Amino acid sequence: MTKCNPALLPLLILSLCGGGAAYADALPQEQADSPVISVYLDGKPLPTEVAPLNVDGTVLVPIRGLFEAQGAALSWDNTGKTVTATKDDTTLTYQMGTSSAKLNGRPVEVEVPGIIADDTAMIPLRMASEALGNTVNWVPATQSVQITSAAVIYETSILRGVTLRSKPDGESKPVTEDLLSAGTKVHVINVADALWLKVRTEDNLIGYISAKPKFTDYTSSSLTEKQAAALLAYGRTFNGTPYEFGASPDQTDTFDCSSFVKRLFEDILSVELPRVSYNQAKEGTKVGLDELRPGDLLFFTARGLDIGHVAIYAGNNKILHTYSSEEGVHTEEFDGQWKKRFVTARRIL
């Protein structure tokens, strides 16, 4: 579960029939000093019989009113300490204290196990609300949880078979054994990081898929910024690596300008660029100098060629590249000779 704020992990309190053993002690005293937290459903305050609480960095809110406000029917098995919410063809079942729920019979990871305190059952807000097809956001400025129950739009197409995983990690367990095949539609819940998207499938599975461009047609400013930052951070790990004209792109002991750029895009984003700068300048989309953003490629005249050098725009009027046997890979100002020799800029991300 992506945490919008490290100090605030949204959870829900479910006020249900009492009885049975408790999984936790009474709520700690320090909750009284927590900021007032509000919960909104589709922009309207959600009435709660118990005020939202912040307990050790966890926001707790009554769940019964929330589920019912979202059109879900609720049932509680006191013997098994299990709650079941049903809406249309979606059924979510969760047993208190366990680390996974069942969404239409399939397991869904619960990062923070539910507890029962003072005869009140508490389960994760994001897991529960997203399972019903809703979107959840934490707004630090207003100390509020915003829940949007608008219909999910499956706006993103899978371009190449990709695994739906339980965590944003290539080694994590797949949510389903079958790949999401080319042509499948998914809804992007959020950008987990430069390499992973959290998505919902049309058959209501939630998990993570690769954010590399070859797998989906998804684009957003957030993803672009994260991928550019990852690309540049990786590039800077080669600072000082010697320059060698004609260096093989299959090794990292030496680089020339275009082998460096090719290697970075391939290693981080699995984007395969041509070997030489002249051909790289035909990729992506042309952008003007007043439109530059980190990750864009800049091309220059060199060695009597119309295009004979390439660099990566690093933001703040700086470029990351290699051309000098004295400096190797380095970052410098985009001015002087580089402005005079500039030919074009191309956007790959």
Side-chain angles (χ1 to χ4, degrees), residues 156-164 178-186 197 208-218 266 269-272:
T156 298
S157 296
I158 302 298
L159 302 178
R160 181 182 299 191
V162 64
T163 301
L164 182 68
D178 299 326
L179 292 177
L180 300 184
S181 59
T184 300
K185 291 285 190 178
V186 297
L197 302 173
Y208 297 86
I209 63 172
S210 174
K212 293 180 178 180
K214 69 179 181 180
F215 290 110
T216 77
D217 62 359
Y218 180 78
E266 189 167 337
L269 301 174
S270 297
V271 172
E272 296 185 12

Side-chain angles (χ1 to χ4, degrees), residues 76-290:
W76 170 255
D77 174 10
N78 197 48
T79 301
K81 298 296 181 289
T82 300
V83 60
T84 300
T86 304
K87 180 180 180 182
D88 300 327
D89 57 354
T90 298
T91 299
L92 175 69
T93 304
Y94 178 67
Q95 182 178 28
M96 306 307 298
T98 61
S99 58
S100 68
K102 292 285 186 179
L103 181 59
N104 290 342
R106 295 178 180 271
V108 174
E109 183 179 3
V110 177
E111 292 191 9
V112 177
I115 63 173
I116 296 179
D118 291 342
D119 294 328
T120 300
M122 300 177 283
I123 67 174
L125 166 69
R126 189 172 297 279
M127 178 275 293
S129 196
E130 289 181 350
L132 295 180
N134 305 309
T135 301
V136 180
N137 288 298
W138 169 252
V139 183
T142 58
Q143 294 286 291
S144 64
V145 178
Q146 303 281 346
I147 303 167
T148 303
S149 62
V152 174
I153 299 175
Y154 296 91
E155 76 292 350
T156 298
S157 296
I158 302 298
L159 302 178
R160 181 182 299 191
V162 64
T163 301
L164 182 68
R165 297 193 177 276
S166 55
K167 295 181 179 179
D169 179 350
E171 302 300 319
S172 67
K173 183 179 179 181
V175 173
T176 175
E177 294 181 359
D178 299 326
L179 292 177
L180 300 184
S181 59
T184 300
K185 291 285 190 178
V186 297
H187 167 63
V188 176
I189 296 172
N190 59 50
V191 176
D193 56 35
L195 300 179
W196 295 96
L197 302 173
K198 185 175 184 181
V199 303
R200 179 194 302 279
T201 68
E202 290 185 289
D203 54 355
N204 214 26
L205 299 180
I206 295 177
Y208 297 86
I209 63 172
S210 174
K212 293 180 178 180
K214 69 179 181 180
F215 290 110
T216 77
D217 62 359
Y218 180 78
T219 59
S220 73
S221 58
S222 173
L223 179 60
T224 298
E225 290 172 5
K226 291 177 186 295
Q227 290 185 336
L231 191 77
L232 290 164
Y234 179 60
R236 293 187 182 105
T237 66
F238 296 108
N239 280 348
T241 298
Y243 173 84
E244 179 190 7
F245 180 75
S248 169
D250 297 327
Q251 51 82 45
T252 58
D253 293 331
T254 61
F255 294 110
D256 65 14
C257 64
S258 54
S259 74
F260 177 61
V261 168
K262 177 177 173 62
R263 189 61 187 252
L264 263 56
F265 273 83
E266 189 167 337
D267 283 358
I268 296 299
L269 301 174
S270 297
V271 172
E272 296 185 12
L273 294 176
R275 171 62 183 86
V276 298
S277 57
Y278 176 80
N279 290 327
Q280 289 175 355
K282 300 175 184 177
E283 300 294 309
T285 305
K286 183 178 180 179
V287 293
L289 285 178
D290 59 345

Side-chain angles (χ1 to χ4, degrees), residues 62-75:
I63 191 175
R64 179 178 291 280
L66 176 70
F67 268 146
E68 292 177 349
Q70 295 175 106
L74 203 65
S75 65

